Amino acid sequence: MKKILSLALALVLVLSMSTVAFAVEGESTWNGNYTATAETTFNEIVKTYTSENNVVVNETLSFTSTAQTTNPDRGAANLTVADLQVSSLNPGTLAVTIPSLSVAGTYEWTIKETAGNTAGVTYSTAEVHVIVLVEYDNTNHALKIADTTSYIKLENGEKAKTFENTFKSGSFTVAKDVEGNMANENDVFEIAVTLTSTKPIGTNVTLAGTIVTPEQWTNNEGSYTYTSTMNYSEIGGAKTFSDIPDGVTVSVVENTDDEKMNGYTFDNTNNNKGNNFSMNVADADDNKAVVVKNTKGQEIATGITLDSMPYILMLAVVFMGLFVFFSKKRMMREN
């Protein structure tokens, strides 16, 4: 009997050991927890840049992301949006990193562009909404991203297809005009055209055929200026200043030193501009032609007195003669 019991006990031990060995060699036992999703990059949101007059705009843009508190994790996980180098020549795509998510459900984030400070640029205020659906993968006991989508919401609530910035610019001309009997259209004058901006310049401008880069502007405690000093003559024609960013003002000042004016005077009549003139170059008006007028004249002596007194005296003599004539005639009739 004891031998039979010993054999039975040995058999139980052998079977138990084989069972443990089988468990180790097979799949591990699931603990009931689902593995969180891995970080993933979402490349669907397109950023565009448009500009007037084909001005090339290049800028690095930054973005902020806000997670909705209604997310399954109560807004604890946020998106990461990389800075984007974008050009008016080519659109760019935002690199959006979706974080690891450990709760199933529908997530929503809002992406906004951080407004820059480049002159002439209007930055988009639209909201970009990113929506992610997280589901259970019961086969692998893990969470999975089942769907990712996005849409653009404008300030008025409407949805849009483009997420864009715009660049606005303008142009103007400066010309010389001389008048008077001693004026010579070939005479040359010195005129300084100064451009001033409260924002950094991020684009090239063209001044009388010369391209001026952003680096050539002077930064004086947040005021950006560039001065073009050139010689002007009436016969030389107007000089054109183009691709000037919106918000930039221009002033036109003529050098009125005696040695520069050569006997001319600055003419303030007939809506003459210069020396006390400024405008926002990109303003939508037709008054973009600046004409600086000078006058040079001389009275020519003819030997004839043009004073009105001689004519008055002549009229007085005529009236006196008529008075005497009619008086005598009357006296003769009465006699």
Side-chain angles (χ1 to χ4, degrees):
M1 185 67 181
K2 289 183 178 180
K3 289 183 178 181
I4 294 173
L5 291 174
S6 297
L7 289 172
L9 180 60
L11 182 60
V12 170
L13 290 173
V14 170
L15 291 174
S16 299
M17 291 177 64
S18 63
T19 301
V20 172
F22 177 77
V24 170
E25 293 175 358
E27 293 184 359
S28 60
T29 303
W30 178 44
N31 61 8
N33 295 324
Y34 284 79
T35 304
T37 63
E39 283 191 355
T40 183
T41 301
F42 176 62
N43 299 99
E44 183 181 283
I45 304 165
V46 177
K47 179 67 187 180
T48 59
Y49 231 113
T50 61
S51 67
E52 295 181 342
N53 307 318
N54 297 318
V55 177
V56 177
V57 183
N58 293 288
E59 192 170 8
T60 299
L61 304 174
S62 299
F63 305 86
T64 59
S65 174
T66 303
Q68 302 293 323
T69 57
T70 54
N71 287 353
D73 63 357
R74 297 184 180 180
N78 210 347
L79 300 176
T80 302
V81 186
D83 290 347
L84 177 65
Q85 178 72 35
V86 68
S87 168
S88 58
L89 298 176
N90 297 297
T93 303
L94 273 63
V96 180
T97 301
I98 300 172
S100 175
L101 303 172
S102 58
V103 184
T106 302
Y107 293 77
E108 184 172 355
W109 294 269
T110 301
I111 296 173
K112 285 188 175 182
E113 181 179 338
T114 303
N117 197 37
T118 301
V121 177
T122 299
Y123 295 89
S124 175
T125 58
E127 294 181 348
V128 180
H129 290 257
V130 176
I131 301 172
V132 174
L133 175 61
V134 177
E135 295 180 347
Y136 291 103
D137 180 357
N138 291 316
T139 301
N140 298 309
H141 300 141
L143 294 173
K144 65 178 181 179
I145 295 178
D147 185 42
T148 303
T149 187
S150 65
Y151 68 91
I152 299 169
K153 183 179 179 181
L154 303 177
E155 282 188 325
N156 58 8
E158 296 181 358
K159 294 183 179 180
K161 295 182 179 180
T162 56
F163 180 45
E164 69 176 16
N165 293 348
T166 58
F167 174 80
K168 181 180 179 182
S169 61
S171 63
F172 65 98
T173 61
V174 177
K176 165 57 64 178
D177 183 23
V178 293
E179 290 187 352
N181 59 356
M182 299 301 291
N184 184 342
E185 62 182 6
N186 288 295
D187 286 339
V188 176
F189 303 85
E190 183 180 279
I191 299 177
V193 180
T194 301
L195 303 174
T196 303
S197 174
T198 58
K199 295 181 178 181
I201 304 298
T203 55
N204 292 342
V205 299
T206 303
L207 309 182
T210 300
I211 295 177
V212 178
T213 65
E215 293 75 19
Q216 291 177 263
W217 290 63
T218 300
N219 181 2
N220 184 14
E221 298 181 354
S223 178
Y224 302 84
T225 60
Y226 184 87
T227 299
S228 171
T229 302
M230 290 182 285
N231 293 324
Y232 284 76
S233 66
E234 182 175 333
I235 199 171
K239 300 181 189 297
T240 301
F241 298 73
S242 57
D243 303 333
I244 312 300
D246 184 28
V248 172
T249 59
V250 55
S251 66
V252 180
V253 178
E254 182 177 39
N255 189 338
T256 56
D257 292 344
D258 291 341
E259 64 272 18
K260 296 291 184 181
M261 295 296 283
N262 191 27
Y264 284 84
T265 58
F266 182 80
D267 190 347
N268 286 315
T269 63
N270 197 24
N271 296 321
N272 184 30
K273 294 179 179 179
N275 289 29
N276 188 22
F277 167 75
S278 66
M279 67 178 175
N280 178 359
V281 178
D283 279 345
D285 58 40
D286 297 325
N287 198 15
K288 298 291 183 62
V290 182
V291 180
V292 182
K293 184 191 297 182
N294 290 3
T295 301
K296 186 177 183 181
Q298 181 177 334
E299 291 186 2
I300 301 175
T302 62
I304 301 174
T305 303
L306 299 179
D307 196 295
S308 60
M309 185 56 68
Y311 298 99
I312 296 175
L313 293 175
M314 289 174 63
L315 287 173
V317 170
V318 170
F319 282 117
M320 182 64 68
L322 290 174
F323 177 76
V324 172
F325 173 77
F326 285 111
S327 296
K328 286 184 177 182
K329 201 169 184 180
R330 182 178 179 183
M331 290 176 62
M332 290 175 61
R333 285 199 304 265
E334 290 178 352
N335 292 331

